[in-house]
Structure formats: C-alpha cells, structure tokens
Amino acid sequence: MRWRPSYSQLIVNSSIAIPLLDVMAELGFHGHEEAVYHHADEAVRNKPRRKWQSYIWDSLDKSPEERAFLFKLDLAVLSFASLGYLIKYLDQSNINNAFVSGMQKDLNLYGNQVNYMQTCWTVGYVIGEIPSNLVLTRVRPSIWIPSLEVLWTILTFSTSRCSSAKQIYVVRFFVGLFESGFYPGMQYIIGSWYRKDELAKRSCIFHTSSAIATMFSGYLMASVYHLNGRGGFRGWQWLFIVDGIISLPIALAGFVILPDVPENTKAFYLKPGERAFARKRMELEGRKGQEPYSRKKIWRILSSWHIWFLALLYVCFNNGSSGAAPVFAQYLKDSKNPTYAVWQINVYPTTTYAFQVITTLAYAWSSDTVCNGSRWPPILVGGIVNIVCYVSLAIWNIPVGWKWACFVLMGAGFGLSGLCFAWAHEICADDNEERALVTATMNEMAYVFQAWLPLIVWKQIDAPEYHKGYMTVTCISALMILTALVIRQLHARQLKCKVTEDDVGSERVSQSSRFSDTQPLEVRVNNEDSKK
C-alpha cells in the first residue's frame, strides 16, 4: 500500500500550514478543520520567549500565522471600530460645540436646554443598550451595527434643520437610541477575537477615537464656522451636515468590513484556515462560544458579583469626569480679561483630549506589558489624577496657570474605559452570554446615572465655576478606586477557585484512568461491550 502522510505531518512546516489547509478546504478535503486546530494549538501554545519587541506591539514575538492573522484582524476590526466610534462621538460632542458657536443665540437657549438635550440623548441610549447587545448574540454584527450607524447618520443630517429646542429633544432621543448599540457591541466583538495580552491595547485604541473625535469636532467647528450664511445655513448647522457626510460612507463600509465573531464569521478576507485558527485561539483563551439562554443561566448571571461590581466600576468611571459639561470652553467663553474668539473657544479645550489620547495609550501598553495583564493599577492612577484636578477646580480661586493645567490634566481620567471592558471580558470569559450582558449593563448603568446626575451637579446656570460638579466627581473618583481594589480581590479569589477545581478534575481523570488500566483484561472488554 502506498504511504500517505497524515494532516498533522503535512503542517509541520509553519510557513505553508495555513495556505495548504485553505487549498484543502477549497478542494473539499475532509478533516482540514481537525488539521488546522492541531496546527493552531501548536502555533499558539508554543510561544517563543517574550522579546523586547513585544512591549512595542504584542504580535512581534508570535508565530508567522498568528502575526498575519492579527494584521488582517486589526486592519478590519480596529479600523472600523475606531472610525465608527469617531463618527458616533463626533455627533455626541458636536452638540456642545454647536451650542457655544451660535446655536444658543439662534434658538434662544438661555436656560438649561443644553442639559435637557443631553438627557434626551442619554434616555434613548439607556433604553437601547442591553436589548442591542442581546440581539448581537443572535444576529450577525455585520448587519446589525452598520444598520444602526446608517439610521443615526440620517438623524444627524436632520439636526441641522431643527429650529427649536423641542425638535432637537426628539431628534437627540432617537440618535441616542440608535447609537446605543455601537460602543458595547464593538467591545463585545473585540472581546470575541483577541487574547488577554492583546485585549487592553485594542480596547483602548478603540476608546481613543472618542478623544480624537472631540478634538476633531473642535477643529471642524472652527473650520465650518466660516461657512456661516452659505446656502442659508448657519455655521453650527453646517457642523451637523459635514458630520453626516463623513459618517455615511463609514456606516456603509461596515456591511463589508465587520467580521462578526469567530464561530460564525464569513469575512471575505479570512480564509477557512484562518477562521478555524481564530476559533482555536479563543478556545485556548477559555472564552466560550454562543449558548442558549435559560432561566438558570440568567439567574446565575444576575446573582454573580460580576455584573454588579463591574457595573459600579464603569458607573464611577463614566460619571467621574466633567464630560457632561463643556467646562473648559465655558471658562474661556466667560473670561473677560482676556476675551477669546469663537475659534479659540473651540480649539483650546482640545488639549484635554490630546492628553487623554496620550494617557489612554500609556495605560493600555503598561497594563498589557509591565503590569503583566493587571488592569487595576492604571485605573488607580487615573482616579488619583482626577481627585487632584477636581479638588483644585472646586477651590476655583487658584493660580491661572494651575487652573489651565487642571483643565488639561483631567484628560487622564477620560481614558479608562478600554481597561474596564478588557477586565470584564477576562472575568466573564467562561460564559459568552454573560459577557454580552455584563458589558451592556456596564454601559447601561453608566448612562442611567448620566441621564439625571448632570441635571443636578452640572447645571448650565452654575457655569463656569461648577462647584457641585467638581466636588461630586472627586467623591466618585474615590469610589472608583475603592471598587477597583475590591474587584481585584474578588477576581483573584475566582482564579484561585478555578485552579483548584481544574486540579481536582485532573486528579479524578487520572485516578479513573489508573483504575481502568489495573482492571483485568476481561473486565475491561466487558465494560467496553456494555458501553456499546
């Protein structure tokens, strides 16, 4: 009989493994899935010793297959996630830029209308978040998320035609409703593709898009303000028109670019071997695939500490900043000596978000490298910087140079979202549905508080001093630090229990195997016959 090599023998050469398996799949060879799983196991488990290059980027010390796979994935997932979040946050922050650039005067908004606009958006956002993330576990993300983007883009165009505060309230509610599925949904997708040493960097890079969008919104407002009067539109109206023009092609691209999740991906740029490779990576990471919902599962999720403490952590992060009010811009606008032009009021506050980008990336790289995957140390750093800045601003009568420094340095507390979500993905790795529900609940509860808290502590009539707001954020930041330390202890206990359970399970399997081997031959044969 002619000798034929096995699949595992065919893939010894790692440089040809994945291409060879793809050819096998296209030609209809059976067993290629088993072969690629075997190879993925070898490629992922047998990591070389960590090199200094991995501290720059995590894929530089991985196998050639994994490096090529991550390059494709980053190009698709991170590009779409970052651009999508940029347009979402661009619209979210544009309302503040429009308000200080003519909307207030044109629509006679001299009460708390800007707070009500933010509240209407938040209410829509809160209503849509959890249902949207649950839909994502049953509907392809490549259909659901781009559809939401197209709808909120249409509403962004509509904002430019609003002529009263009531019209804006209605539009902002539906904008919030359709935008609600994007951020937690993309965090869920990122958590479905990346491993622990890759996760924080990707989550934080994704989150930096919010800071870049806020900066870009200021520059955009400064630019389009010169279009004031063109085509019968005011400068602030042009801001929403240009925003919509930028958003629409990104939304449409999502139908093609987004790869869904590893167990159901049909992305054209991932070959069959790479799709199997992606599933094996998540299996080795201990991240479970989709399972049916049941009463028992839902009760287990709701009775776990995961959903409550992680939600509290994110509530503290999301509400532990001055993002609900344009504090820096209001300070500049209120200044009498010197006075600032409209372009300065829009551009100078972008330095806060530039600092956010720097600190967010620093948090991500330090967490994945020097902190060995720990998420809590950067969270503590951000909380401490918050306390220093907001206590100083609450005092208010401080040197002008230090006041400007505090407005800029407060950006250090804006960039912790990616770390919170990365931590949640790791803590909930054993249950896909729990991971989806917990990440949605984190964002949901954060915005539940954001729906009413700014109306109390960030009142427009308190500008520019906002004493209540600064003191509230100080207390919330202290609570965030305490919550992070509690989660650290609970997670450590969870990991210890899991190791103990795995050891007990392995010991039982070993004892069973030894018992089977010591049985007489005829007993083992009879046992096998009875099983059949």
Side-chain angles (χ1 to χ4, degrees), residues 139-309:
V139 177
R140 288 186 175 277
S142 60
I143 297 173
W144 180 250
I145 290 180
S147 298
L148 295 177
E149 287 185 290
V150 170
L151 290 171
W152 90 57
T153 297
I154 293 171
L155 289 167
T156 298
F157 280 119
S158 301
T159 308
S160 66
R161 302 300 295 165
C162 292
S163 58
S164 69
K166 290 183 179 179
Q167 292 177 355
I168 296 178
Y169 296 158
V170 174
V171 172
R172 293 300 291 178
F173 169 81
F174 285 103
V175 168
L177 184 67
F178 294 130
E179 287 184 351
S180 64
F182 186 82
Y183 187 73
M186 286 308 305
Q187 286 287 6
Y188 166 75
I189 292 169
I190 289 172
S192 299
W193 286 95
Y194 291 102
R195 304 193 72 191
K196 182 174 182 178
D197 64 323
E198 306 157 355
L199 195 52
K201 285 190 284 294
R202 271 73 177 185
S203 291
C204 287
I205 288 172
F206 170 40
H207 186 69
T208 56
S209 304
S210 65
I212 294 171
T214 309
M215 293 169 60
F216 183 62
S217 179
Y219 304 142
L220 187 63
M221 186 68 250
S223 300
V224 303
Y225 191 75
H226 298 293
L227 296 175
N228 189 35
R230 296 283 183 92
F233 293 104
R234 303 286 290 170
W236 64 268
Q237 292 175 308
W238 274 110
L239 180 64
F240 293 105
I241 294 171
V242 174
D243 183 5
I245 292 171
I246 295 170
S247 302
L248 189 58
I250 297 172
L252 296 176
F255 290 105
V256 179
I257 294 174
L258 204 58
D260 298 317
V261 291
E263 54 261 41
N264 68 359
T265 182
K266 292 183 178 179
F268 71 92
Y269 47 84
L270 294 179
K271 296 179 180 179
E274 291 173 317
R275 295 172 193 170
F277 191 75
R279 291 192 289 274
K280 187 63 179 181
R281 275 169 38 93
M282 290 300 97
E283 180 185 317
L284 296 175
E285 194 66 18
R287 218 160 285 160
K288 301 290 176 137
Q290 295 179 355
E291 295 176 352
Y293 283 102
S294 64
R295 289 183 180 180
K296 183 178 179 181
K297 177 187 281 283
I298 293 173
W299 173 250
R300 183 175 54 77
I301 293 171
L302 295 178
S303 60
S304 169
W305 66 264
H306 298 171
I307 193 167
W308 304 108
F309 278 93

Side-chain angles (χ1 to χ4, degrees), residues 242-390:
V242 174
D243 183 5
I245 292 171
I246 295 170
S247 302
L248 189 58
I250 297 172
L252 296 176
F255 290 105
V256 179
I257 294 174
L258 204 58
D260 298 317
V261 291
E263 54 261 41
N264 68 359
T265 182
K266 292 183 178 179
F268 71 92
Y269 47 84
L270 294 179
K271 296 179 180 179
E274 291 173 317
R275 295 172 193 170
F277 191 75
R279 291 192 289 274
K280 187 63 179 181
R281 275 169 38 93
M282 290 300 97
E283 180 185 317
L284 296 175
E285 194 66 18
R287 218 160 285 160
K288 301 290 176 137
Q290 295 179 355
E291 295 176 352
Y293 283 102
S294 64
R295 289 183 180 180
K296 183 178 179 181
K297 177 187 281 283
I298 293 173
W299 173 250
R300 183 175 54 77
I301 293 171
L302 295 178
S303 60
S304 169
W305 66 264
H306 298 171
I307 193 167
W308 304 108
F309 278 93
L310 288 168
L312 177 60
L313 178 69
Y314 202 72
V315 165
C316 292
F317 153 72
N318 196 67
N319 293 274
S321 69
S322 60
V327 292
F328 199 174
Q330 289 280 19
Y331 167 71
L332 297 174
K333 186 177 181 181
D334 191 69
S335 176
K336 304 301 181 185
N337 186 24
T339 58
Y340 297 94
V342 170
W343 73 267
Q344 293 172 309
I345 294 171
N346 280 288
V347 171
Y348 289 170
T350 63
T351 53
T352 305
Y353 304 101
F355 192 66
Q356 177 190 340
V357 172
I358 295 170
T359 53
T360 300
L361 297 179
Y363 294 153
W365 260 257
S366 61
S367 177
D368 275 350
T369 55
V370 297
C371 295
N372 295 317
S374 295
R375 311 306 181 193
W376 62 271
I379 293 175
L380 264 59
V381 171
I384 291 169
V385 174
N386 266 1
I387 291 171
V388 171
C389 291
Y390 290 116

Side-chain angles (χ1 to χ4, degrees), residues 468-511:
K468 285 187 291 186
Y470 294 136
M471 288 306 301
T472 301
V473 169
T474 300
C475 296
I476 291 175
S477 297
L479 180 59
M480 179 181 71
I481 292 172
L482 178 62
T483 305
L485 293 174
V486 171
I487 292 175
R488 177 200 176 198
Q489 292 301 113
L490 292 172
H491 190 206
R493 185 188 304 172
Q494 173 182 309
L495 293 175
K496 185 177 180 180
C497 291
K498 187 175 181 181
V499 170
T500 303
E501 289 173 2
D502 290 344
D503 290 343
V504 170
S506 299
E507 185 176 347
R508 286 176 179 172
V509 171
S510 178
Q511 289 175 350

